[in-house]
Amino acid sequence: MRALILGGTREARDLAALLVGRGDYVISSLAGRVKDPALPVGEVRIGGFGGPEGLTEWIREHSIDVLFDATHPFAEKISQSAATACATTGTPLIHLHRPAWEKQPGETWIEVSSMDEAAAESARFSTVLLTIGRQKLAHFAGCDSTRFLIRCVDPPEVALPPQHDILLSRGPFTIDGEKDLIQSNGIEALVTKNSGGDLTHAKLEAARDLHIPVIIVQRPPLPAEGTLVHTAADAIAALP
Ligand code: NAP
């Protein structure tokens, strides 16, 4: 079987390892956003396809039998491209997305559905920890009365809010480490996407223990095409 994995996540790397272990031909695709990405086993290609049409062409040229969309749940455009390309080529599509976080007792969530709403909510606080990655930071550029501690893996290259500090750091994080970060910076609220998974969950537990509200951006909807699973093993079980 020839599989294309749209990746950039731990789940995608887990899936590549399982498929290679079964003897399948696997090529993983990364967008190329992160300077020093963790690489999966098997073949890797890096860079966009040129929209749904480019991906359609690529699937045909490489005789792909199945497409796994194992991208981050907030990577909306590539998931849509995958849906369109699979519908056009008749390729089976499996979305592998880790489950969303659910609010736990003691947590205070301010749930929003867009980065602009998250920015508007942030403006109610003096000091906010911003953990949304670096691509969407420009949505916060107009928040001039709030100080942001921006944590991301690589340096941001977009407009930033006037009062900010940058902390370059890659998870996983510990609850104690997150509490220390919140307390030593006088953080009053944190902003996160509802990414799900264990790697970055400690900040929610730290916020709960310190009675800090979490402004949480809910996931964009998945395209209707394809089968949704939550683990690499389930992705293999879902193969046609
Ligand atoms: P996006 O908005 O959905 O994608 C923008 C464009 O980047 C797509 O149209 C596509 O270009 C290209 N692209 C995205 N993922 C690709 C992949 N795996 N392989 C080849 N091209 C890809 O995605 P994003 O939010 O910028 O995320 C980019 C990548 O980072 C994703 O692969 C995702 O898994 C990973 N990531 C994202 C987040 C997040 O919070 N968004 C967090 C962690 C990791 P073309 O249209 O030219 O094909």
Side-chain angles (χ1 to χ4, degrees), residues 25-175:
Y25 172 81
V26 177
I27 183 155
S28 295
S29 176
L30 304 179
R33 300 270 190 283
V34 178
K35 291 200 174 73
D36 181 20
L39 291 176
V41 297
E43 277 192 44
V44 177
R45 67 165 297 287
I46 296 182
F49 293 93
E53 301 80 11
L55 181 55
T56 302
E57 188 72 10
W58 199 98
I59 288 171
R60 286 188 173 134
E61 269 178 18
H62 293 80
S63 306
I64 294 300
D65 299 310
V66 61
L67 177 50
F68 294 97
D69 164 28
T71 56
H72 190 274
F74 280 80
E76 207 174 347
K77 275 196 199 145
I78 190 71
S79 292
Q80 191 52 60
S81 270
T84 305
C86 285
T88 309
T89 56
T91 308
L93 172 62
I94 298 169
H95 299 281
L96 166 54
H97 286 177
R98 63 189 83 144
W101 291 318
E102 288 182 9
K103 190 174 145 196
Q104 299 301 313
E107 293 179 353
T108 305
W109 283 19
I110 300 167
E111 296 182 59
V112 296
S113 53
S114 69
M115 288 295 166
D116 286 335
E117 277 182 61
E121 290 293 340
S122 299
R124 296 164 38 200
F125 301 95
S126 309
T127 309
V128 168
L129 174 61
L130 201 43
T131 63
I132 56 159
R134 60 182 189 144
Q135 289 183 60
K136 307 282 179 181
L137 290 169
H139 291 266
F140 295 79
C143 299
D144 41 17
S145 58
T146 300
R147 180 187 150 250
F148 290 93
L149 177 58
I150 299 171
R151 182 169 69 190
C152 44
V153 175
D154 290 315
E157 291 169 346
V158 298
L160 298 176
Q163 300 183 63
H164 71 263
D165 293 295
I166 299 202
L167 173 62
L168 296 181
S169 181
R170 189 196 295 255
F173 304 103
T174 64
I175 299 173

